[in-house]
Amino acid sequence: EVKMAWCEGVLSLLLLLAVMATAAPTDTLQKFPLLMPHVKPERAETYFCTPIRIDPTVEYYITAFQPNASMETAHHMLLYGCETPGAEDEVWNCGEMALAQPGIKSAPVCGSGSQVIYAWARDAPKLVLPEGVAFKVGGKSPIQYIVLQVHYASVERFKDGSTDDSGVFLYYTETPQPKAAGVLLMGTGGRINPNSVEYMETACTITEDKVIHPFAFRTHTHALGRVVSGYKVSRKGYFDQWELIGKKDPQLPQMFYPIEKDLILKKGDTVAARCTMESKRDRTTRVGAFNKDEMCNFYIMYWTPSTEPLRQKYCFSPGPPLYRWQQEFSSLPKDASVIPASEESHYYHHSHHHHHY
């Protein structure tokens, strides 16, 4: 019965979009609620996913995201664009790190073509993309489904039988927008030794012939992260010139923060990210999905003056001890781990001979 209701739900959504398309003038922003269907999480640390299928005959342009959640219930929410969803159900368990709720299917967020398009945590405000910038979905785009993932850290509020409809209102238009939005997710594998401070580092060179304008960034670690920073690195003679894209304490709300400085990335430029991890544990901590594990992520949200974003969605390295920045850069940013962002100068020029880890 749920399956039937879900199919009818998808059908009515498609019909609704079709009606809205004919009824509304195309240049007005429309608002679509992507919300949890009144779920009742039973266990702390639950991750639920719910999908919408987008009309494959129409391209929609998402220009803003308005969260509908409060810190007390949702710990964080992510929106993924997928080619196919992880499941066809109305709701499924989609957190590898969580205990699955009995009676509800477990599956990944996306079946294929996964990319993050929005993230919210801890009472972060609405995110409005810059003028003319949009995520293109539906139609011939690789995003045929949008899946909402909500992480419930605590379930105290649901003990009395109340349910949750946390989610995101999507603002969209059918008018094609001149600038395509995209997200590049940087991250590492690797491990952190007991009772140590470790740098987890990654870097990728842009190989596509596009001009990329980063405008927001997000950091993500689990409990051991102290600071996460991302840089643009360009070769100047014998030196690597480092420019800060963004830097945050990952224990602060893990939302998208604006990038203060206008910088552009183009073919041949390198993006690099580092997480400083501090372990007071007597065991080795590895990268993984569970809370006992760690993660090192730096997200760059950008626009590009073309109809398509980068084909590259991810930039991952094996992390420590297999990979370190030293292996490919002649100079490193001065103390990327310690100095607060406000005190950082724009450029760092010093050769690796003077750099001590």
Side-chain angles (χ1 to χ4, degrees):
E1 283 183 16
V2 172
K3 192 63 178 275
M4 267 309 292
W6 167 228
C7 294
E8 286 165 13
V10 170
L11 197 62
S12 59
L13 165 62
L14 293 177
L15 289 170
L16 173 70
L17 288 175
V19 169
M20 285 162 81
T22 49
T26 50
D27 57 347
T28 54
L29 266 192
Q30 297 163 63
K31 181 176 172 181
F32 183 84
L34 175 44
L35 307 174
M36 279 292 158
H38 292 286
V39 294
K40 189 175 185 304
E42 293 164 11
R43 298 174 171 177
E45 301 298 335
T46 296
Y47 284 70
F48 280 160
C49 277
T50 190
I52 54 165
R53 178 174 173 226
I54 304 156
D55 185 337
T57 65
V58 184
E59 283 170 357
Y60 298 97
Y61 296 84
I62 299 173
T63 60
F65 303 91
Q66 181 186 356
N68 172 57
S70 69
M71 252 170 100
E72 291 76 69
T73 50
H75 181 259
H76 79 247
M77 303 190 291
L78 288 168
L79 286 189
Y80 289 83
C82 309
E83 278 173 304
T84 60
E88 295 289 343
D89 306 44
E90 187 182 28
V91 178
W92 67 90
N93 289 301
C94 58
E96 302 111 54
M97 68 173 91
L99 298 159
Q101 187 159 313
I104 298 180
K105 178 176 174 171
S106 293
V109 178
C110 294
S112 63
S114 168
Q115 54 178 300
V116 171
I117 60 172
Y118 173 71
W120 171 95
R122 308 206 201 167
D123 292 342
K126 179 176 174 180
L127 175 68
V128 179
L129 304 184
E131 187 69 33
V133 176
F135 284 96
K136 179 166 69 173
V137 301
K140 295 187 174 60
S141 83
I143 300 177
Q144 294 295 308
Y145 289 79
I146 298 175
V147 176
L148 166 71
Q149 179 189 59
V150 179
H151 170 205
Y152 298 96
S154 155
V155 293
E156 285 308 307
R157 257 211 47 203
F158 307 111
K159 293 280 200 299
D160 64 359
S162 60
T163 60
D164 185 62
D165 66 346
S166 290
V168 180
F169 292 102
L170 305 173
Y171 290 82
Y172 69 94
T173 174
E174 286 172 56
T175 309
Q177 299 296 301
K179 302 166 181 175
V183 174
L184 178 65
L185 168 54
M186 307 184 70
T188 77
R191 62 176 191 251
I192 302 155
N193 289 328
N195 299 300
S196 68
V197 172
E198 183 61 87
Y199 295 137
M200 309 190 92
E201 296 168 334
T202 184
C204 294
T205 299
I206 307 284
T207 58
E208 297 171 48
D209 214 354
K210 289 196 167 82
V211 179
I212 300 304
H213 298 254
F215 65 87
F217 74 98
R218 173 180 186 255
T219 66
H220 174 71
T221 68
H222 297 173
L224 303 188
R226 292 296 163 259
V227 62
V228 182
S229 44
Y231 299 86
K232 168 189 175 177
V233 193
S234 32
R235 178 53 60 89
K236 292 278 184 286
Y238 292 111
F239 289 103
D240 292 312
Q241 174 178 302
W242 293 73
E243 282 182 83
L244 186 70
I245 294 171
K247 176 176 193 173
K248 234 2 148 195
D249 171 351
Q251 304 308 325
L252 294 171
Q254 296 184 356
M255 58 175 263
F256 275 101
Y257 291 93
I259 290 171
E260 308 300 345
K261 194 174 157 202
D262 274 340
L263 50 82
I264 60 169
L265 298 165
K266 38 187 201 305
K267 191 172 178 175
D269 287 336
T270 297
V271 280
R274 169 193 271 180
C275 302
T276 303
M277 305 300 223
E278 185 180 17
S279 172
K280 296 188 164 68
R281 296 169 176 169
D282 294 327
R283 61 175 176 86
T284 299
T285 306
R286 294 175 197 282
V287 166
F290 298 95
N291 270 338
K292 67 177 175 61
D293 302 324
E294 259 312 329
M295 281 189 174
C296 167
N297 290 147
F298 185 83
Y299 296 75
I300 299 172
M301 188 179 283
Y302 63 84
W303 62 268
T304 180
S306 74
T307 53
E308 302 299 331
L310 290 176
R311 287 187 301 276
Q312 181 178 8
K313 311 289 181 202
Y314 298 98
C315 168
F316 274 74
S317 80
L322 295 172
Y323 173 85
R324 301 192 186 277
W325 276 350
Q326 281 168 305
Q327 291 161 221
E328 63 177 297
F329 297 116
S330 63
S331 55
L332 293 172
K334 200 175 356 186
D335 253 1
S337 53
V338 200
I339 310 173
S342 58
E343 295 167 30
E344 261 179 331
S345 61
H346 289 326
Y347 306 110
Y348 317 101
H349 291 285
H350 62 259
S351 92
H352 60 296
H353 300 302
H354 306 132
H355 191 94
H356 300 292
Y357 262 77

